[in-house]
């Protein structure tokens, strides 16, 4: 760590609210395409117009395709800024009004906080803040900048998102208050026992030696021994209680989080990396540990240490003041390092999430990497991300090393000074040797407990980092399917698409325009058209996966919300282009892991899907194990098993997006004939002529519109 780093640390005082210096605070993007919103949040917070990223995201949903300068200017105007877009030569960049938003690498946005002769301070919403030299900056800056000046007009505040509270994570966990009371009681007993030990040492040294009474020493030892045994027993009971409660807490928090995760919209998952989602669950354990393990104990220790401090003052005022000065110095040191430790920890977590996402994607795409001979290139890219993650860990460890070293130095100097003073006091007869040993023991007890309390306070401040990460899941808006009616309704199979238009976000162009179509129960309808014309999007709307921007979709003559989306989903099956099998047997995959599997129905739908003979030819037949990616099966076999899974639930409507593209014509005809006999409503997306011609009606789509109904 250099002098500039320390000077910056002392100057900023790291967000513990002791000192203030206006600076840009990092706001990391969570979704893949919200770098612009994150930059706006950073600038708004700098100017004291606090905007949480989740609030901006809710009011101005980012497009899947990203955000342009014009859209950022529109949002900035609505949240109280006067935006001005500029084309800026590199040598004039320092003339901008800072902080400003810069266009980066022709595809990204960053915040420039300030400029100097050595370069520009850049905050990248992907999680990095650093100085860029002018030469380095020229490699990334595209020449477009956005200045943002606060307007004088009073703006209506954005509706603030609810902050995730700790008690929300523990909902459903009974007996938490009882656990806290038990831990408090055991901790109190432990504290009383620990305070008695130094006094025993003082009495033994000062009284027993002078009177030379073995009986008195034995009685004294027996009494304090009983106290020690009680303290150890209380410690064991406390550990057992915390262990049990911690297991329950982990289950409660994980269950509440995963339950909410499963209820989030599909678009939520499409905008995030899988590894980043998984890494958020690593925040559960620090929350549980702080609340049930370290938090309660450290608070009791901190409160009880006041009585220890009072005892110390009775022994010697000067040495007690020296110990207090050392503690204040320790607190000051922790304050200095807090912000950098928090940012380093967050960078480490995010970097590991990116590395995990990249590795998962690589494993999923191993076949493509092998066929293209790109393993070495992909490995190098993964290694670079792993290095970034390790660098985050190293930065965190480096900061911790500086903290511990400085604190150790403070404590060493304090110990030397107190020993020096105590020797003088003994030589003058102001203190006995027993009193000195007792004071030093009380001093160590006092300092260790205050240190623990300070550490837990810092951890509590760090808790916001973990709560923010879990908040993206727990406070996310549930899919609209969970907000409507849930009563069971009998589905007949009629669908009406009434003047439906759709866009993925408010800033996007319409993907579908004024679509209207009627599908009667038992109809077989084909959607065809060029790739990108909106067929899959329309199927998502009909399936209730997305909500129309305009217009409505009727199910058996009722609006989908009134019919009940959950009830609708339970009576239809959808085969998408990206359907996957799960790890398990073929039979379990067809029955989607029902607890009580109808094996006869499994065989029946497998025959309808023309996969039964293939399965019976396998050594393990329906007990054949398949991997998550179905790699033991051919593409056609995997597709037919997915089709059998769709038929297993006896749907009234079957939506298929290229669900038979991997089948040969003979097998496709077999499948179509089998499904036709079921008499269910079918809407399929297809490009193959034979598949299209098998339908009763054909809709042709072009640029988001229906141009033909045959």
């Amino acid at each position: 760590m250099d002098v500039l780093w320390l000077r910056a640390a002392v100057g900023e005082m790291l967000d513990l609210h002791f000192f203030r210096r206006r600076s840009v605070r990092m706001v990391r993007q969570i979704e893949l395409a919200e770098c612009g919103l994150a930059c706006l949040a950073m600038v708004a917070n700098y100017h004291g117009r606090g905007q949480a990223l989740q609030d901006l995201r809710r009011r101005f949903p980012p497009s899947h395709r990203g955000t342009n300068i014009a859209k950022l200017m529109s949002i900035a105007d609505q949240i109280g800024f006067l935006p001005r877009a500029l084309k800026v030569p590199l040598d004039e960049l320092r003339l901008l009004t800072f902080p400003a938003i810069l266009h980066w690498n022709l595809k990204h946005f960053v915040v420039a906080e300030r400029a100097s002769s050595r370069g520009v301070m850049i905050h990248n919403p992907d999680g990095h803040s650093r100085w860029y030299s002018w030469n380095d900056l020229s490699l990334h800056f595209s020449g477009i900048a956005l200045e943002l000046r606060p307007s004088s007009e009073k703006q209506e505040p954005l509706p603030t998102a609810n902050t995730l509270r700790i008690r929300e994570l523990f909902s459903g966990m009974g007996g938490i208050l009882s656990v806290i009371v038990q831990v408090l009681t055991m901790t109190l007993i432990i504290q009383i026992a620990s305070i008695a030990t130094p006094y025993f040492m003082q009495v033994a040294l000062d009284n027993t030696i002078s009177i030379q009474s073995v009986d008195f020493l034995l009685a004294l030892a027996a009494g304090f021994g009983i106290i020690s045994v009680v303290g150890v027993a209380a410690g064991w009971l406390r550990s057992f209680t915390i262990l049990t409660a911690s297991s329950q807490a982990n289950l409660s928090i994980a269950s509440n989080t995963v339950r909410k995760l499963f209820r989030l919209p599909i678009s939520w998952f499409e905008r995030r990396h899988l590894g980043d989602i998984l890494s958020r669950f690593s925040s559960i354990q620090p929350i549980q540990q702080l609340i049930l393990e370290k938090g309660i104990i450290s608070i009791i220790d901190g409160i009880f240490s006041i009585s220890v401090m009072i005892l110390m003052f009775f022994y010697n005022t000067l040495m007690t003041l020296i110990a207090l000065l050392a503690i204040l110095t320790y607190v000051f040191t922790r304050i200095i390092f807090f912000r950098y430790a928090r940012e380093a920890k967050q960078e480490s977590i995010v970097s590991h999430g990116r590395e995990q996402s990249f590795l998962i994607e690589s494993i999923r795409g191993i076949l493509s990497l092998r066929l293209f001979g790109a393993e070495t290139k992909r490995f190098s890219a993964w290694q670079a991300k792993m290095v970034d993650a390790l660098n985050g860990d190293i930065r965190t460890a480096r900061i911790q090393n500086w903290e511990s070293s400085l604190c150790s130095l403070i404590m060493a100097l304090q110990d030397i000074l107190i020993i020096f003073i105590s020797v003088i006091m003994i030589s003058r007869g102001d203190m006995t040797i027993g009193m000195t040993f007792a004071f030093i023991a009380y001093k160590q007890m006092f300092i260790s407990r205050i240190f623990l309390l300070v550490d837990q306070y810092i951890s509590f401040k760090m808790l916001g980092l973990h709560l923010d990460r879990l908040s993206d899941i727990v406070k996310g808006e549930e899919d609209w399917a969970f907000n409507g009616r849930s009563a069971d309704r009998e589905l007949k199979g009629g669908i009406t698409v009434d003047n439906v238009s759709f866009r993925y976000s408010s800033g996007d162009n319409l993907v579908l325009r004024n679509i209207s179509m009627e599908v009667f129960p038992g109809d077989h309808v084909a959607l065809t058209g060029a790739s990108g014309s909106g067929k899959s999007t329309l199927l998502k709307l009909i399936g209730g996966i997305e909500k129309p921007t305009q217009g409505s979709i009727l199910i058996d003559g009722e609006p989908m919300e009134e019919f009940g989306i959950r009830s609708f989903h339970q009576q239809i099956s959808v085969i998408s282009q990206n359907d996957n099998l799960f790890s398990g047997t073929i039979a379990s995959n067809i029955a989607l892991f029902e607890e009580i599997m109808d094996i006869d129905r499994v065989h029946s739908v497998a025959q309808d899907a023309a996969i039964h003979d293939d399965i019976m030819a396998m050594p393990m037949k329906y007990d054949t194990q398949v991997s998550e990616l179905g790699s033991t099966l051919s593409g056609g076999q995997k597709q037919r098993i997915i089709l059998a899974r769709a038929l297993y639930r006896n749907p009234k409507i079957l939506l298929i997006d290229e669900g038979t593209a991997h089948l040969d014509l003979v097998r496709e005809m077999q499948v179509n004939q089998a499904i036709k006999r079921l008499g269910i409503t079918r809407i399929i997306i297809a490009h193959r002529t034979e598949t299209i011609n098998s339908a009763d009606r054909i809709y042709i789509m072009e640029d988001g519109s229906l141009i033909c109904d045959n």
Side-chain angles (χ1 to χ4, degrees):
M1 182 185 300
D2 56 22
V3 176
L4 289 175
W5 196 95
L6 280 173
R7 191 188 313 166
V10 175
E12 294 191 16
M13 294 307 295
L14 309 178
D15 193 37
L16 278 180
H17 309 293
F18 287 88
F19 300 94
R20 285 285 187 181
R21 175 178 178 235
R22 192 164 69 161
S23 61
V24 172
R25 299 299 311 279
M26 169 62 69
V27 175
R28 285 175 169 81
Q29 67 184 90
I30 296 175
E31 297 187 358
L32 298 177
E34 64 178 8
C35 57
L37 285 183
C39 290
L40 283 177
M42 283 189 260
V43 176
N45 292 336
Y46 174 86
H47 288 290
R49 302 193 173 190
Q51 301 287 348
L53 180 57
Q54 57 266 38
D55 297 331
L56 290 173
R57 187 191 306 126
R58 189 174 61 253
R59 184 174 174 185
F60 311 104
S63 167
H64 288 272
R65 299 178 176 89
T67 304
N68 56 30
I69 284 286
K71 179 63 177 177
L72 283 184
M73 293 178 67
S74 174
I75 297 173
D77 178 69
Q78 295 179 64
I79 63 174
F81 285 91
L82 301 175
R84 185 173 70 139
L86 302 167
K87 194 169 184 178
V88 186
L90 191 63
D91 56 354
E92 296 179 11
L93 189 65
R94 67 181 65 191
L95 302 178
L96 286 174
T97 299
F98 291 103
I101 298 176
L102 306 184
H103 194 222
W104 200 252
N105 291 332
L106 299 175
K107 61 179 180 181
H108 192 55
F109 292 105
V110 299
V111 173
E113 180 178 2
R114 57 187 182 273
S116 68
S117 58
R118 64 171 177 158
V120 180
M121 182 62 186
I122 297 293
H123 298 277
N124 194 324
D126 70 358
H128 298 88
S129 297
R130 72 179 183 91
W131 282 94
Y132 279 80
S133 68
W134 291 102
N135 287 335
D136 289 342
L137 193 71
S138 66
L139 301 176
H140 303 281
F141 178 47
S142 63
I144 304 297
L146 180 62
E147 287 186 333
L148 296 169
R149 293 184 175 87
S151 66
S152 57
E153 297 179 4
K154 186 176 180 180
Q155 299 290 322
E156 293 185 8
L158 286 175
T160 303
N162 294 329
T163 303
L164 176 61
R165 301 183 183 279
I166 294 174
R167 65 171 177 268
E168 296 179 58
L169 296 174
F170 287 91
S171 62
M173 179 182 172
I176 184 69
L177 183 60
S178 174
V179 170
I180 292 175
V181 171
Q182 292 178 47
V183 172
L184 289 177
T185 304
M186 296 301 103
T187 302
L188 183 63
I189 295 173
I190 294 170
Q191 297 297 338
I192 294 174
S194 63
I195 283 182
T197 302
Y199 184 70
F200 165 73
M201 183 167 47
Q202 176 186 340
V203 173
L205 288 173
D206 290 344
N207 297 336
T208 307
I209 294 177
S210 61
I211 64 176
Q212 296 184 352
S213 172
V214 177
D215 293 337
F216 177 75
L217 180 61
L218 289 174
L220 190 66
F224 281 102
I226 293 172
I227 294 175
S228 298
V229 170
V230 172
V232 171
W236 180 85
L237 288 174
R238 185 179 71 177
S239 299
F240 184 79
T241 302
I242 289 176
L243 177 62
T244 303
S246 298
S247 300
Q248 295 177 354
N250 273 330
L251 178 61
S252 176
I253 298 175
S255 298
N256 290 335
T257 304
V258 173
R259 179 180 182 275
K260 186 58 182 283
L261 180 69
F262 286 169
R263 298 167 71 93
L264 292 173
I266 299 300
S267 59
W268 186 93
F269 296 91
E270 294 172 346
R271 295 175 178 178
R272 287 160 177 80
H273 290 295
L274 178 58
D276 181 62
I277 296 173
L278 295 177
S279 70
R280 295 177 188 278
F281 286 88
S282 65
S283 294
I284 291 177
Q285 189 172 9
I287 295 174
Q288 174 267 123
Q289 285 181 338
L290 181 61
I291 301 303
L292 287 180
E293 298 180 30
K294 302 176 182 177
I296 298 175
I297 296 173
S298 61
I299 291 174
I300 294 298
D301 285 351
I303 294 174
F304 213 76
S305 63
I306 296 175
S307 60
V308 178
M309 181 185 67
I310 294 173
L311 282 174
M312 290 169 60
F313 271 111
F314 276 111
Y315 278 87
N316 189 280
T317 301
L318 178 60
M319 290 193 295
T320 303
L321 291 175
I322 292 173
L324 289 175
L325 180 61
I327 289 172
L328 290 175
T329 308
Y330 174 80
V331 172
F332 184 78
T333 303
R334 293 302 305 270
I335 291 172
I336 289 177
F337 283 92
F338 171 74
R339 178 181 172 185
Y340 292 97
R342 187 181 192 277
E343 290 180 350
K345 183 65 175 177
Q346 188 171 17
E347 179 182 341
S348 175
I349 293 174
V350 172
S351 297
H352 278 288
R354 289 200 185 99
E355 177 269 326
Q356 285 295 301
S357 291
F358 193 85
L359 184 59
I360 291 170
E361 292 170 1
S362 300
I363 294 172
R364 286 183 177 276
I366 191 64
L367 178 60
S368 298
L369 295 177
R370 183 63 45 79
L371 294 176
F372 280 85
E375 300 95 336
T376 302
K377 183 178 180 181
R378 190 74 177 179
F379 167 74
S380 298
W382 168 82
Q383 200 170 42
K385 293 186 180 296
M386 188 63 184
V387 169
D388 288 341
L390 292 177
N391 284 339
D393 294 340
I394 291 172
R395 184 186 174 202
T396 302
R398 186 184 296 126
I399 293 171
Q400 292 174 346
N401 288 340
W402 275 99
E403 275 187 319
S404 61
S405 297
L406 289 175
C407 293
S408 296
L409 177 62
I410 292 168
M411 291 302 103
L413 294 176
Q414 173 258 163
D415 287 338
I416 292 172
L417 189 56
I418 284 181
I419 291 174
F420 178 80
I421 294 174
S422 63
V423 170
I424 294 176
M425 299 290 287
I426 292 172
S427 63
R428 292 178 178 177
D430 295 331
M431 289 184 70
T432 65
I433 295 178
M435 292 176 63
T436 302
F437 274 92
F439 177 84
I440 291 175
Y442 283 130
K443 187 262 297 181
Q444 295 292 356
M445 186 186 305
F446 173 64
I447 288 179
S448 64
R449 289 171 182 175
I450 292 297
F451 278 12
L452 179 62
L453 183 63
V454 172
D455 291 344
Q456 294 313 306
Y457 176 72
I458 297 295
S459 297
F460 186 79
K461 297 292 290 185
M462 287 279 194
L463 204 60
L465 168 63
H466 298 291
L467 288 174
D468 286 344
R469 291 181 61 76
L470 286 181
S471 178
D472 184 45
I473 298 175
V474 178
K475 304 301 289 186
E477 185 176 349
E478 291 186 351
D479 189 89
W480 72 310
F482 296 95
N483 299 327
R485 296 179 55 172
S486 59
D488 290 338
R489 304 287 300 277
E490 183 68 25
L491 177 64
K492 298 177 182 178
I495 300 172
T496 302
V497 180
D498 184 15
N499 199 32
V500 164
S501 297
F502 177 76
R503 57 165 56 93
Y504 281 99
S505 71
S506 58
D508 282 350
N509 295 325
L510 287 172
V511 179
L512 299 177
R513 301 178 187 85
N514 305 318
I515 300 292
S516 294
M517 60 185 295
E518 184 82 18
V519 180
F520 298 99
D523 272 0
H524 180 192
V525 175
L527 294 175
T528 188
S531 297
S533 59
K535 303 184 299 299
S536 296
T537 301
L538 178 57
L539 211 64
K540 284 183 178 181
L541 294 175
I542 294 174
I545 302 301
E546 297 283 0
K547 188 176 182 179
T549 304
Q550 298 172 5
S552 61
I553 296 178
L554 309 180
I555 306 300
D556 291 339
E558 290 188 71
M560 187 177 288
E561 298 95 323
E562 294 183 15
F563 184 91
I565 300 173
R566 294 293 291 168
S567 178
F568 177 62
H569 283 167
Q570 290 166 5
Q571 301 178 72
I572 71 170
S573 287
V574 181
I575 301 176
S576 69
Q577 297 180 22
N578 300 318
D579 267 341
N580 286 316
L581 297 177
F582 300 95
S583 298
T585 66
I586 290 179
S588 297
N589 269 277
I590 293 176
L592 201 56
F593 297 89
E594 274 191 348
E595 292 184 7
I596 303 177
M597 184 191 308
D598 185 346
I599 193 64
D600 291 333
R601 177 145 187 83
V602 169
H603 293 171
S604 175
V605 296
Q607 289 174 344
D608 289 340
I611 189 64
H612 176 75
D613 292 342
D614 294 47
I615 297 174
M616 295 303 293
M618 299 176 185
M620 297 295 293
K621 298 180 174 54
Y622 281 88
D623 291 325
T624 299
Q625 294 285 332
V626 296
S627 68
E628 174 190 0
L629 302 179
S631 57
T632 58
L633 305 169
S634 69
Q637 289 174 328
K638 175 184 172 183
Q639 200 165 57
R640 281 177 282 154
I641 290 175
I642 291 172
L643 177 59
R645 182 172 68 192
L647 297 176
Y648 178 82
R649 65 188 310 184
N650 194 23
K652 303 295 178 58
I653 296 176
L654 181 61
L655 307 178
I656 304 178
D657 189 353
E658 296 286 350
T660 58
H662 292 177
L663 303 186
D664 58 78
L665 290 178
V666 174
R667 291 190 185 278
E668 184 176 5
M669 289 178 61
Q670 293 174 353
V671 169
N672 287 335
Q673 289 298 322
I675 297 177
K676 186 176 182 179
R677 289 194 297 268
L678 300 176
I680 63 177
T681 303
R682 284 177 288 162
I683 302 178
I684 65 170
I685 294 175
H687 292 95
R688 185 185 290 174
T689 304
E690 293 79 4
T691 306
I692 297 170
N693 290 335
S694 67
D696 300 328
R697 279 186 294 148
I698 303 169
Y699 288 91
I700 300 175
M701 295 194 65
E702 183 176 304
D703 294 332
S705 301
L706 285 178
I707 63 171
C708 185
D709 174 7
N710 296 327

